[in-house]
Amino acid sequence: MPVLPADSATLLAAHPAVAELQDSADVAQRSAELAHVQTRANPELMLATSRDRGQLDEAYQHSITLGIRFPLGSSSRNQAKRASAQADAMEAQAQVRLESERLLGEVETARVGLVSAQTQLAAAQRRALLARESRVFFQKSFQMGETDLPTRLRMEREAMDAERQAARAGIDLAAAQSALRQTLGLLPE
């Protein structure tokens, strides 16, 4: 059975889905900080080459053009860029919170399912044990002539049903353990 972390912070820190979203939120936050620090766009360097000839019988002329562009003011564009980056950071943090809450709910559901499966297995094993004991008593009673054949066969069927239910409860317990491991983000064993 997988070990549940003691607190939700440990669980959330170790879960791969939350870690991925947290990394995205960190990147978005750093992008917002960068957009806040940058007051204007970066300068641009342009390089172009061309070749042409004036007439058909002339040789090609090659030329290289080099240009530098310095952006001046454009505070409205930068405000929009900062607002967009801040909105992306807020959205990423909201996704982290939503995923964390969803994950905690799923873990609690899987934990309750595991406890329920354990309880069902214990009850099914107890029923199978009692059915086996009853089968032995009814078999002795049948051999002594005190019980008829339909009653003995009914007890055999009930014992078989109890054994089948115990086996099914064992499978359900393994499935509940697997569901809990998957919810915790652990690899299968």
Side-chain angles (χ1 to χ4, degrees):
M1 179 174 135
V3 177
L4 288 173
D7 61 346
S8 61
T10 306
L11 169 68
L12 295 177
H15 200 280
V18 174
E20 178 186 7
L21 286 175
Q22 187 61 48
D23 289 343
S24 297
D26 291 343
V27 168
Q29 183 62 36
R30 286 190 176 76
S31 296
E33 291 169 2
L34 178 64
H36 186 70
V37 171
Q38 287 182 332
T39 57
R40 61 177 75 164
N42 293 328
E44 296 177 8
L45 176 66
M46 296 176 284
L47 179 65
T49 62
S50 62
R51 78 178 200 174
D52 63 347
R53 58 183 175 182
Q55 293 187 5
L56 193 58
D57 59 345
E58 291 181 6
Y60 281 100
Q61 299 286 326
H62 297 281
S63 64
I64 297 176
T65 306
L66 181 66
I68 299 176
R69 185 174 132 190
F70 291 102
L72 300 173
S74 71
S75 62
S76 62
R77 186 182 314 150
N78 288 328
Q79 285 177 348
K81 184 178 174 183
R82 277 184 279 188
S84 175
Q86 190 64 32
D88 290 344
M90 291 171 63
E91 180 182 356
Q93 284 297 331
Q95 286 178 344
V96 169
R97 281 192 306 274
L98 286 174
E99 181 67 18
S100 298
E101 290 172 6
R102 184 193 66 79
L103 179 65
L104 289 175
E106 283 186 5
V107 167
E108 183 60 23
T109 300
R111 187 192 65 74
V112 169
L114 180 63
V115 170
S116 173
Q118 289 170 336
T119 304
Q120 288 176 357
L121 178 62
Q125 288 174 338
R126 178 74 176 147
R127 178 178 176 234
L129 176 67
L130 293 174
R132 280 193 300 270
E133 290 174 358
S134 295
R135 179 174 50 191
V136 169
F137 291 137
F138 274 95
Q139 189 173 15
K140 287 180 182 177
S141 173
F142 176 75
Q143 289 173 352
M144 296 172 120
E146 295 177 4
T147 303
D148 57 355
L149 181 62
T151 303
R152 180 174 181 260
L153 293 177
R154 188 184 80 232
M155 292 309 296
E156 287 289 331
R157 188 187 76 229
E158 287 179 13
M160 296 287 277
D161 287 344
E163 293 290 332
R164 186 173 42 247
Q165 185 180 14
R168 186 174 297 143
I171 293 169
D172 290 344
L173 176 64
Q177 287 175 339
S178 176
L180 181 60
R181 288 187 60 79
Q182 185 175 3
T183 302
L184 291 173
L186 301 174
L187 294 174
E189 289 183 341

